[in-house]
Amino acid sequence: MAVTIPARLGKATRLGAGKSLKLTNTYGSQVVDTWAFIAANMNEFMSMEHSRAAIGGIFPHVGDMMVTNHREPILTLVEDTSPGIHDTLIAACDRYRYEHLGCVGYHDSCTDNLVAALCEFDLTPPETPSPWNMWMNIPIAADGSVSFEPPVSKPGDYVVLRAERDVVVAFSCCPQDILPINGTDCVPQKCYFEILD
Ligand SMILES: [Zn+2]
């Protein structure tokens, strides 16, 4: 059954150990912030800083196993039809980010979306872990500088993630509409996921 992640909002699901989930970038232009928490202990979660050490790089490739803040395997990237440009460096957007960008009044954020998505399961994140930003294109120049660019994925691109433990996975269709990370038109779009048999 396909579950829609509405544009600008989040959605979570439980995923048992050994089960896989397919996340599809419907329009190809959308960044999806992705988190995973150990179901029995929300204080143990997928960690980008620990995963970069585990996989020996900043771009996860098919076959790479992401790890928790306790350095235990949590999610494996099993399939990826996109060019594999997913960010592991940039923090989730939040109210402060939008205030700095000049927004007045409330703006949806991935940080708020994580809280709302987990609330549906009566769960609370212990913090906002640095997300695995699916399809987010943050090129790194030779001098170490980074820039925020549109995704290079195409409509219908998907990733398949396998749970290595019983986890809760949360997604946010990033509501960033000031910088072009969700396409040059700066219009956030919906995506969807399916739990595979
Ligand atoms: Zn965001």
Side-chain angles (χ1 to χ4, degrees):
M1 185 186 71
V3 178
T4 297
I5 312 165
R8 310 180 71 91
L9 298 176
K11 204 77 191 169
T13 185
R14 291 185 182 276
L15 192 63
K19 298 284 274 185
S20 295
L21 173 157
K22 178 180 173 182
L23 171 67
T24 300
N25 198 340
T26 312
Y27 295 86
S29 56
Q30 182 62 42
V31 167
V32 182
D33 289 39
T34 301
W35 297 269
F37 299 83
I38 299 297
N41 175 16
M42 293 291 285
N43 289 306
E44 185 177 0
F45 46 77
M46 181 168 67
S47 164
M48 290 306 105
E49 49 270 48
H50 296 84
S51 294
R52 291 191 298 265
I55 68 176
I58 60 170
F59 296 112
H61 298 109
V62 168
D64 281 343
M65 201 177 272
M66 307 298 270
V67 301
T68 70
N69 51 334
H70 297 182
R71 301 188 190 270
E72 295 291 332
I74 182 166
L75 287 184
T76 297
L77 180 59
V78 175
E79 263 187 270
D80 184 358
T81 64
S82 76
I85 302 300
H86 311 286
D87 170 68
T88 63
L89 299 179
I90 304 297
C93 62
D94 49 33
R95 58 172 291 188
Y96 311 109
R97 177 69 161 146
Y98 293 107
E99 285 170 13
H100 289 172
L101 289 170
C103 284
V104 177
Y106 184 75
H107 192 289
D108 296 313
S109 73
C110 290
T111 296
D112 286 357
N113 289 345
L114 170 63
V115 172
L118 290 178
C119 189
E120 286 186 33
F121 293 84
D122 288 326
L123 295 170
T124 306
E127 59 180 272
T128 307
S130 195
W132 185 359
N133 295 309
M134 229 49 94
W135 298 294
M136 190 176 184
N137 180 16
I138 305 290
I140 296 145
D143 67 357
S145 62
V146 297
S147 57
F148 291 69
E149 306 293 339
V152 294
S153 40
K154 60 185 182 303
D157 269 341
Y158 64 85
V159 293
V160 175
L161 305 173
R162 185 181 66 230
E164 301 302 333
R165 306 267 296 276
D166 289 346
V167 296
V168 179
V169 180
F171 300 110
S172 169
C173 279
C174 182
Q176 176 60 263
D177 52 7
I178 300 164
L179 302 175
I181 61 153
N182 290 311
T184 50
D185 59 359
C186 294
V187 177
Q189 302 284 1
K190 65 182 177 184
C191 290
Y192 69 94
F193 67 84
E194 303 155 89
I195 294 174
L196 306 177
D197 291 329

